[in-house]
Amino acid sequence: MFDLKGRIAVVTGGNGGIGLGMARGLARAGAHVVIAARNTEKSAAAVRELERAGGQGSAVNVDVADEGSVTRLMDSVKTRHGRLDVLINNAGINIRKPVHELSLAEWRQVIDTNLTSAYLCCHAAYPLFKRGGRGKVINIGSMMSIFGASFAPAYAASKGGIVQLTKATAVAWATDNIQVNAVLPGWIDTELTQNARKQVKGLHESVLARTPAGRWGTIDDMEGIAVFLASPASDFVTGTAIPVDGGYAIKG
Ligand code: NDP
């Protein structure tokens, strides 16, 4: 039920953080994982990590905010593998400023990287899913898909948008046997949140105080949900947004 042998997966931003955790889960379950990100050294190290974990991977240099780059990614998947089974839209950034300080260029950079990228990847992946007769899309949202934060206007807009894009795509593709779901991570220890902790005073402590599990998440915590949503175990699950957050979202 959770076997991914022979499956081809693309993980955007899979060379570090949450993307790498999810890529490792998929690779351990038998998938070949294509790491799609910009930093080639980091991507090569991530592929070595997948191999150390007993899996298989390869890397493609991609800027997910660039339409031509995403088209070249899907073309290379088609040429090398002839198929695509799983797409994880994970690449993301944040620029932490309140709305009155955020420039239009910064707004666009965050929306393009976090939201337009997911549209571009889904759009380009569809013919490959259709060809194989099935597909799994996992879009990465955030607690900011639900909550507001003064320092994340574009980020929260992009992550709210990810949930609605997930629902629209899930409905559109349901009869094509393509399931589309979102994962809303809680606070996970990665480069992104290490920077956040430097920039937002008291963040580390407030996350600990609000998270019922009493700890920050690790990238290992992201492996299981990726395998579930990529595997036949979730064939009747579509359009959902699943928090993986140690209970953060349900704390009163
Ligand atoms: P990291 O900064 O560790 O990883 C972000 C990844 O995105 C990097 O691998 C980076 O690779 C890639 N990336 C960024 N911009 C681009 C681009 N234009 N094209 C291709 N790849 C890009 O962050 P996290 O692992 O923490 O975050 C991953 C996702 O999870 C993001 O969408 C984030 O919003 C979300 N998230 C994170 C949470 C957390 O607590 N950590 C909580 C909720 C959501 P490279 O630089 O090589 O391109």
Side-chain angles (χ1 to χ4, degrees), residues 13 15 17-18 38-39 62-64 90 141 155 159 186 188 190 193:
N15 63 7
I18 288 175
R38 295 164 305 175
N39 183 324
V62 182
D63 177 353
V64 291
N90 160 80
Y155 185 84
K159 295 302 186 178
I188 313 294
T190 67
T193 49

Side-chain angles (χ1 to χ4, degrees), residues 130-207:
K130 280 286 278 182
R131 199 172 181 215
R134 67 178 172 213
K136 298 279 189 182
V137 178
I138 305 172
N139 292 324
I140 305 305
S142 161
M143 287 297 105
M144 300 290 166
S145 301
I146 310 172
F147 301 113
S150 60
F151 56 84
Y155 185 84
S158 73
K159 295 302 186 178
I162 276 284
V163 171
Q164 294 308 104
L165 174 66
T166 298
K167 291 177 189 171
T169 315
V171 173
W173 293 354
T175 53
D176 293 322
N177 191 28
I178 304 166
Q179 291 79 47
V180 185
N181 290 287
V183 171
L184 314 184
W187 291 90
I188 313 294
D189 184 17
T190 67
E191 260 177 46
L192 187 82
T193 49
Q194 277 153 24
N195 288 335
R197 274 176 274 185
K198 280 180 207 145
Q199 289 172 10
V200 183
K201 203 165 164 274
L203 180 66
H204 180 73
E205 294 71 23
S206 70
V207 167

Side-chain angles (χ1 to χ4, degrees), residues 4 45 57 59 88 93 106 113 132 137 161 167 170 186-187 198 218 232 235 243:
L4 297 179
I88 303 189
I93 57 166
E106 290 168 331
T113 308
V137 178
K167 291 177 189 171
W187 291 90
K198 280 180 207 145
T218 69
D235 278 354

Side-chain angles (χ1 to χ4, degrees), residues 18 28 85 99 114 216 222 236:
I18 288 175
R28 280 196 176 126
D85 303 287
V99 67
N114 296 5
W216 280 64
M222 304 309 296
F236 203 53

